[in-house]
Amino acid sequence: MSLLLSGLGAASSGSANETLLVGVYHNPPKLFVDDQGRLRGVLGELLEAIARQEEWSLESIACEFQHCLELLERGDIDLMPDVAWSEERAQRVAFHHEPIMHTWSQLYQHEGEGVEAILDLEQKRVAVVKGSIQQEYLRAVTERFDVMVAWHLVDSYAEGFQAVATGEADLAVSDHLFGDWRAHNYGLFETPIIFQPIRLFYAGSPTLSATVLERIDSVLRRWKQDPRSEYFVTLRAWRAEAPPAGIIPAWLWWCFGLLATICALTLGVALWLRRRMTLNRAQLKANEAMLATILDSVDAYIYIKTPALRYQYVNRRVSELFGLPAEQILGKSDEAFFDSETAQEVAQVDRNVMESGKKITIEESNVLQSDSHVRTFLSIKMPLVLAPGEPASLCGISTEVTDFLEMQSRSNHLTFYDALTGLPNRRLLMESLTREIAQENSARPYSALLVIDLDNFHLINDIQGHESGDQLLIDVAKHLRQHLPEGAVLARFSGDEFVALLARLGEHQADTAIGAEHAARQLLEAVSTLRTGNALPVSASIGITLFDGVEHSMNSVLQQADLALQQAKTAGGNTLRFFNQAMQTSLIERANLEADLHHALARNELALHYQRQVDHQGVTIGVEALLRWYHPQRGWVSPATFIPLAEETGLIVPIGYWVLKSACEQLAKWSHQAPYATLTISVNVSSVQFQQPEFVRNLEGLLAQTQAPPGRLVLEVTESLLMREPKRVRNTMLKLRAQGIRFAIDDFGTGYSSLSYLKRLPLDELKIDRSFIRELLTDKADAAIVDTTILLAVSLGLTVVAEGVEKTEQLDWLKGHGCYRYQGYLFGRPMPIDNLFESY
C-alpha cells in the first residue's frame, strides 16, 4: 500500500484517466464517504463531478482531520477536500485560487449555559478539532484577553458535539453548516459567538501537479457563472432548496417558429439576465444579512467612519453603548456622543490612522456625555477602501476592558495591601526593603528598620473579643501613620506586628540612630495614648536596626530588627532597643542551644528532680516534679533558659509528655508502697502543651497504661493559661477533673486573671509565688498581698501552698495567717527521686 500511495503521489500530472488519491475526514454535510466508498456531501459530490468532467479517477482514504493533513504534507495523498485557507497552511500544502464556498465558525452549547461573549469562556471546557484553524484562532483570542480555557481536543465536529452532550465539555466549536445540520440532534444551540469567516478549498500535496489545481479553478469559475450547473445543483440538493423556477420549457421555442427566433432569443436573454440579477440580489441580501448577524453577535464595538470622521456603519453593540438606534447615530461625529476632551482625543487618533495608512492597536479612555464614568477600550483602527478611487474610510473594532482593568487593580491591591488596615503588607514592604538595600548610589546613606509589636495584645482578644482587637489594630495603624516622618513606609507584617522603613536618614550612623530613636519614641507615645473599650492600657515594643546596603541582605536586616524587638520585650515592653553585635552573638548561641535541645530527650540528657511539699506539722504531703537538663559540654542548663525555648519551638510537647509519663510511673510505684501511697506529684503544664487537641486523650492513655492513681496527680497551670480561650480551657479541665486529676494555680498574683472566672474553674490549690514570699517580712505591700491571697483562697475553698519558703520566720508568719502548706529550700532542695527520702 505504501508503494501505491507514493506512486500515485509522484505520478499526479493532471492528465485524463489519472487516478487521484483523496483523503476524506468525516464532516457531514460537507464531506463524508458512503457505504460504497463514494465521496458524499457538498464538497465530496462537487469533486466527483469535477473528476467526471476531467476524466479523473478518484480513490478515497478515510482519515481523521489532522492525520489527513499529515498525509497530504508528506505526499501520501493527492487531494484533501474541506480545508480552510491560512497563510501557515499555504506554506505546507498547495491551494487553488477559486474558493469552493464560504462559511464561518460558531460555538454551540446546552440551553441555559449562558455563554454570550469570549470573556464568558473563563474556566469553560471547549471541544475543538485538534490542528484546526478554529483552535489556533480561539487560543490566540482567549490568551490576549487572559481568559483561561480548558481545551478538549477532538477529531471531528460530531465528536465535539458528543463531548458536550455527555458532559465531557461545556461548549463545542463547529462550522455553521454542520452546526445547523446536526446541533439539534445533540440538544445543542448556537451561541452569539460567531467568528472567523473562512474560505474552503481542495488542498493539494506539495508534489501534486499544478495542472490539477488549475483545472479545478477553471471548472469552478465556469460553473459559478451558470445557475443550472452541477455546482448550484449540488448546493441546492444539500441545502434542501427547491429547484429554480421560471425556466422556459423547450417546446415553447418551437411554437414561436422561425419568424419569432430573434424575439425569442431576446426574451430568453432578458429573462436570463433578470433571473441572474434576482439571484445576485438575493445572494447579496443573504450575505448582508449573514454579515450583519455576525457583526451584531461579536462581543465588540464595530464601526466605520467616513473620511470626514462621521459614522457610516455601527453594529448593535455601538447602538447599545450610545443608547440610540443606528439611524440616529449615522452621519454624526463623536462630539455628539462623547465629552469634548474625549472627542478631540479620538479624532486625533483617527486622523493619524487616515494620514499614515497603517493599522494601529491602542488603549483608549473615553467618557460618554450621559455618564461621567471613565470607560477603557482596546481598539484596533485601520484605513478601509470601500470603492476603487474613493478616499479611505476608517474601520474600528473596540473591546471594552474596563471591568478587566478594575478587577486587575483590585487583585493588585489585595496582593500588596493589608485588608484590615489598608497598609502595605509584608510582600510590598519586602520589595521596598530589597530595593533600598540594592541601591547603587555611591553615597550609601543609612536607613532604619523599625519592628513595632503591641504588648500583651492577646489579652485584648481574649477579654474583649477579636472585634475589639481588630479595631485597636486599625487605630494603631492610623496613629503610626500620622506620627511617622514623610516618606516612611509603614506596613502590617502579621497579627499585631508593624514594620516601618525610614529610608536614607543620614550619611553618618550616629545621626541616623538619633533620627530613628526620635521617630520610635514618637510612635511609642502615639500608641500609649490609645485605649480599648474597657480602658485597658495599650503599649508597644520597638526593635530598631540601621543599615546602609553594604554587606546587608533583606533577611539579615529583618532578623536584626526582630532580635532587637525581643530585647525590648524582655526588658518589660513599652520601650525600644537597637540591634548590636552582642545580640547577634546571643542569637547564634540560642540557635546552637535549640539544636542541642532537639536531641536532649533522645540522648537521655533530661531528668526529673523533685522538691518536697510539707504541711504545718512538717509532714511531707507531696512533691513537685521539676525538669532539669544536663548538657554534656555546658553542664546544667537553667530551666529559665531552655523551657521558654522549648515552648517557642514546640519541643515542649514531646518533653512535656515525657515528664507526665515519668510522674505517672512514679505514682504507680508509690501506690504499692505504704509510706508513699498518699503522696501527690505536682507537674507544671505548659500552655502550649495544654492547648494541644490530643492533650486529654494522651493523659488518659498514660493513666490507663501506668495504672497511676489520678487523684494523686496535680497539674499546675498559670493564670495566663486560664485566661487564654477560657471556655476551651474550662472544658479541658472539666474532662480531666472527671478522671480525678487535681489542678493548682501556679505563681498566683504574677499574671492577670478574672476572679469571677476563677471561681468557675475546678481548682484545688493556689500557689503563692516566691516573689511575694521573699520580702514578706520587710515589705508591707508583699505581706498585704499574701494575706489577701490566703483569704481569697479560703473563700474559694482552695488549699494554699506558699512557694520559696527559706526562713523559719517566713514559715511562722505564714502559719499565723492561715497558710498550712509550704515548699522551699527550708524543707529541701530539688533532687533526684532516689535521694529525696533518705531521711524520710
Side-chain angles (χ1 to χ4, degrees):
M1 175 60 75
S2 61
L3 290 175
L4 173 62
L5 293 177
S6 60
L8 289 173
S12 297
S13 64
S15 61
N17 298 318
E18 180 179 1
T19 299
L20 299 176
L21 189 60
V22 182
V24 183
Y25 71 97
H26 190 71
N27 189 20
K30 292 188 294 181
L31 181 66
F32 62 98
V33 177
D34 63 13
D35 296 338
Q36 287 73 42
R38 293 177 302 178
L39 292 174
R40 297 299 311 278
V42 179
L43 302 182
E45 293 180 9
L46 283 177
L47 184 57
E48 289 274 14
I50 294 172
R52 286 195 300 273
Q53 180 163 321
E54 297 297 320
E55 298 182 356
W56 297 335
S57 296
L58 301 181
E59 290 187 11
S60 62
I61 177 171
C63 48
E64 299 295 343
F65 176 80
Q66 187 62 32
H67 184 51
C68 281
L69 277 180
E70 293 171 358
L71 292 176
L72 190 68
E73 291 178 31
R74 295 199 302 262
D76 291 341
I77 59 175
D78 298 309
L79 284 175
M80 179 178 171
D82 193 16
V83 179
W85 184 93
S86 70
E87 291 184 5
E88 189 269 337
R89 282 183 184 165
Q91 295 174 1
R92 295 184 286 127
V93 298
F95 287 88
H96 52 89
H97 299 293
E98 183 68 26
I100 309 167
M101 59 190 301
H102 295 76
T103 183
W104 64 84
S105 300
Q106 195 160 7
L107 281 166
Y108 293 82
Q109 63 183 347
H110 282 299
E111 186 175 8
E113 186 67 26
V115 173
E116 298 181 355
I118 290 293
L119 293 180
D120 295 334
L121 296 181
E122 179 70 32
Q123 300 299 328
K124 296 292 186 183
R125 301 167 297 167
V126 179
V128 61
V129 175
K130 58 185 176 184
S132 63
I133 62 174
Q134 291 115 322
Q135 179 191 3
E136 298 171 7
Y137 176 84
L138 279 178
R139 189 187 300 276
V141 171
T142 53
E143 286 178 355
R144 188 183 72 177
F145 288 101
D146 200 20
V147 175
M148 301 299 294
V149 176
W151 301 108
H152 183 77
L153 301 183
V154 296
D155 293 317
S156 65
Y157 296 143
E159 186 179 336
F161 281 1
Q162 181 65 26
V164 179
T166 58
E168 297 177 58
D170 302 310
L171 300 100
V173 180
S174 169
D175 70 66
H176 83 99
L177 290 176
F178 183 82
D180 293 346
W181 187 53
R182 279 290 183 263
H184 65 280
N185 291 350
Y186 296 89
L188 305 184
F189 298 86
E190 65 273 12
T191 70
I193 302 178
I194 299 174
F195 62 95
Q196 205 175 30
I198 57 176
R199 299 172 294 164
L200 298 179
F201 296 85
Y202 298 113
S205 74
T207 61
L208 181 67
S209 170
T211 305
V212 174
L213 299 178
E214 291 172 358
R215 294 304 305 153
I216 292 175
D217 273 334
S218 177
V219 173
L220 286 175
R221 291 192 184 103
R222 187 171 65 254
W223 280 355
K224 287 185 178 181
Q225 299 299 318
D226 182 4
R228 298 180 181 83
S229 66
E230 293 265 10
Y231 179 81
F232 288 105
V233 170
T234 303
L235 289 183
R236 284 192 292 271
W238 283 98
R239 292 179 181 173
E241 293 181 356
I247 301 175
I248 301 174
W251 61 269
L252 289 178
W253 294 106
W254 298 102
C255 295
F256 286 107
L258 294 174
L259 294 176
T261 298
I262 298 176
C263 294
L265 288 174
T266 304
L267 180 60
V269 171
L271 289 174
W272 180 80
L273 290 175
R274 182 178 178 182
R275 179 162 183 77
R276 178 72 178 273
M277 292 177 62
T278 301
L279 289 173
N280 288 344
R281 193 179 297 111
Q283 186 66 40
L284 180 61
K285 289 183 178 179
N287 290 342
E288 289 178 349
M290 180 177 67
L291 181 59
T293 300
I294 294 173
L295 295 179
D296 285 341
S297 301
V298 174
D299 189 23
Y301 304 90
I302 303 175
Y303 49 89
I304 299 175
K305 297 180 183 179
T306 67
L309 300 182
R310 295 185 178 275
Y311 285 100
Q312 188 174 356
Y313 165 81
V314 294
N315 72 342
R316 177 180 56 85
R317 293 284 286 157
V318 176
S319 295
E320 293 174 352
L321 176 66
F322 294 157
L324 294 170
E327 296 77 18
Q328 298 183 28
I329 299 174
L330 301 182
K332 296 180 180 178
S333 61
D334 287 314
E335 286 84 352
F337 310 108
F338 297 102
D339 68 0
S340 58
E341 184 177 351
T342 297
Q344 291 175 8
E345 292 176 355
V346 172
Q348 183 60 48
V349 172
D350 293 350
R351 280 192 290 268
N352 291 340
V353 172
M354 304 289 282
E355 292 171 0
S356 67
K358 296 180 180 178
K359 180 178 75 174
I360 67 165
T361 300
I362 187 172
E363 185 177 295
E364 298 179 302
S365 297
N366 299 338
V367 179
L368 294 170
Q369 287 185 353
S370 59
D371 185 7
S372 60
H373 180 60
V374 178
R375 304 174 72 155
T376 305
F377 299 85
L378 182 64
S379 299
I380 300 174
K381 298 187 175 185
M382 68 198 82
L384 179 66
V385 178
L386 297 177
E390 292 186 2
S393 299
L394 181 131
C395 177
I397 304 174
S398 299
T399 303
E400 184 167 7
V401 293
T402 307
D403 293 341
F404 172 76
L405 293 177
E406 289 179 355
M407 181 176 64
Q408 193 177 50
S409 176
R410 288 195 297 270
S411 175
N412 181 73
H413 191 274
L414 291 174
T415 302
F416 292 103
Y417 290 87
D418 175 52
L420 177 65
T421 63
L423 293 177
N425 61 12
R426 182 188 188 97
R427 180 173 177 178
L428 184 55
L429 188 277
M430 298 285 268
E431 290 186 1
S432 300
L433 181 57
T434 300
R435 285 196 302 270
E436 192 60 37
I437 291 174
Q439 61 178 327
E440 296 183 357
N441 50 322
S442 57
R444 288 289 186 182
Y446 279 93
S447 300
L449 190 73
L450 285 65
V451 179
I452 307 139
D453 188 83
L454 300 182
D455 298 327
N456 300 317
F457 177 72
H458 65 88
L459 291 178
I460 306 298
N461 284 334
D462 293 344
I463 298 172
Q464 299 183 9
H466 289 278
E467 185 175 347
S468 295
D470 288 346
Q471 185 58 51
L472 176 60
L473 292 174
I474 294 172
D475 294 340
V476 168
K478 179 181 177 181
H479 277 62
L480 293 178
R481 264 198 305 251
Q482 292 174 347
H483 290 82
L484 276 171
E486 185 177 355
V489 177
L490 176 66
R492 183 187 177 200
F493 231 44
S494 62
D496 61 329
E497 188 174 84
F498 299 84
V499 176
L501 173 60
L502 282 59
R504 304 169 192 168
L505 289 180
E507 301 294 332
H508 303 289
Q509 188 175 24
D511 296 336
T512 303
I514 294 173
E517 181 179 11
H518 178 70
R521 294 202 181 280
Q522 283 191 321
L523 297 181
L524 289 177
E525 184 177 351
V527 173
S528 66
T529 61
L530 296 172
R531 288 292 183 273
T532 64
N534 286 352
L536 289 176
V538 180
S539 64
S541 300
I542 300 179
I544 309 171
T545 188
L546 308 179
F547 64 94
D548 61 357
V550 178
E551 297 181 357
H552 283 94
S553 67
M554 177 184 65
N555 289 332
S556 67
V557 171
L558 285 170
Q559 186 183 58
Q560 291 173 2
D562 190 64
L563 185 58
L565 173 66
Q566 299 310 315
Q567 295 295 317
K569 288 284 189 183
T570 303
N574 195 26
T575 188
L576 61 89
R577 288 290 185 273
F578 277 88
F579 170 81
N580 56 48
Q581 196 57 45
M583 294 181 185
Q584 187 72 31
T585 303
S586 174
L587 178 65
I588 296 173
E589 178 68 17
R590 184 181 184 278
N592 292 334
L593 189 65
E594 179 183 336
D596 292 340
L597 184 59
H598 272 277
H599 304 289
L601 190 60
R603 294 171 179 170
N604 296 319
E605 295 173 6
L606 298 179
L608 283 184
H609 287 188
Y610 296 85
Q611 187 173 32
R612 295 168 54 193
Q613 296 175 341
V614 301
D615 62 12
H616 61 289
Q617 295 178 343
V619 177
T620 300
I621 55 176
V623 297
E624 180 179 359
L626 300 170
L627 184 62
R628 295 294 184 262
W629 178 19
Y630 185 81
H631 190 281
Q633 286 78 40
R634 303 171 188 268
W636 290 105
V637 181
S638 168
T641 299
F642 75 84
I643 289 181
L645 185 60
E647 290 181 331
E648 292 175 18
T649 59
L651 289 171
I652 195 66
V653 176
I655 292 175
Y657 181 84
W658 175 80
V659 171
L660 285 171
K661 181 181 179 182
S662 302
C664 289
E665 289 174 346
Q666 188 61 52
L667 284 174
K669 291 180 183 178
W670 283 350
S671 65
H672 301 295
Q673 302 174 20
Y676 313 119
T678 61
L679 297 181
T680 62
I681 295 181
S682 298
V683 178
N684 289 282
V685 179
S686 164
S687 61
V688 176
Q689 180 185 8
F690 192 85
Q691 293 182 37
Q692 294 297 309
E694 64 276 8
F695 178 71
V696 174
R697 183 173 63 252
N698 288 345
L699 186 50
E700 290 174 346
L702 285 176
L703 292 171
Q705 175 185 343
T706 61
Q707 293 298 302
R712 300 301 175 188
L713 178 63
V714 180
L715 299 184
E716 296 189 2
V717 294
T718 62
E719 292 177 88
S720 60
L721 167 62
L722 298 178
M723 298 312 299
R724 185 178 296 121
E725 298 187 51
K727 290 184 179 180
R728 178 181 173 186
V729 169
R730 183 173 183 270
N731 290 336
T732 300
M733 293 178 69
L734 289 174
K735 290 178 183 178
L736 295 174
R737 184 59 178 272
Q739 300 290 325
I741 296 172
R742 299 160 64 184
F743 287 93
I745 299 183
D746 192 22
D747 301 336
F748 184 78
T750 61
Y752 177 88
S753 59
S754 169
L755 298 180
S756 63
Y757 181 69
L758 287 180
K759 71 179 183 180
R760 299 174 55 210
L761 297 174
L763 297 171
D764 299 278
E765 296 180 6
L766 187 153
K767 301 187 75 173
I768 303 175
D769 186 64
R770 68 184 71 250
S771 62
F772 299 115
I773 303 299
R774 185 183 304 114
E775 305 296 332
L776 176 69
L777 302 174
T778 57
D779 191 317
K780 293 182 179 180
D782 283 349
I785 290 174
V786 174
D787 191 28
T788 303
T789 301
I790 294 172
L791 293 174
L792 172 65
V794 172
S795 66
L796 293 176
L798 304 178
T799 299
V800 184
V801 179
E803 294 183 300
V805 179
E806 299 179 0
K807 300 177 182 179
T808 303
E809 293 83 358
Q810 293 171 335
L811 176 63
D812 294 340
W813 191 97
L814 290 168
K815 287 181 180 179
H817 288 77
C819 178
Y820 304 118
R821 294 196 177 188
Y822 326 98
Q823 179 180 339
Y825 289 171
L826 182 63
F827 312 102
R829 292 178 175 273
M831 58 186 64
I833 193 68
D834 295 336
N835 303 329
L836 184 64
F837 296 112
E838 288 180 350
S839 60
Y840 181 67

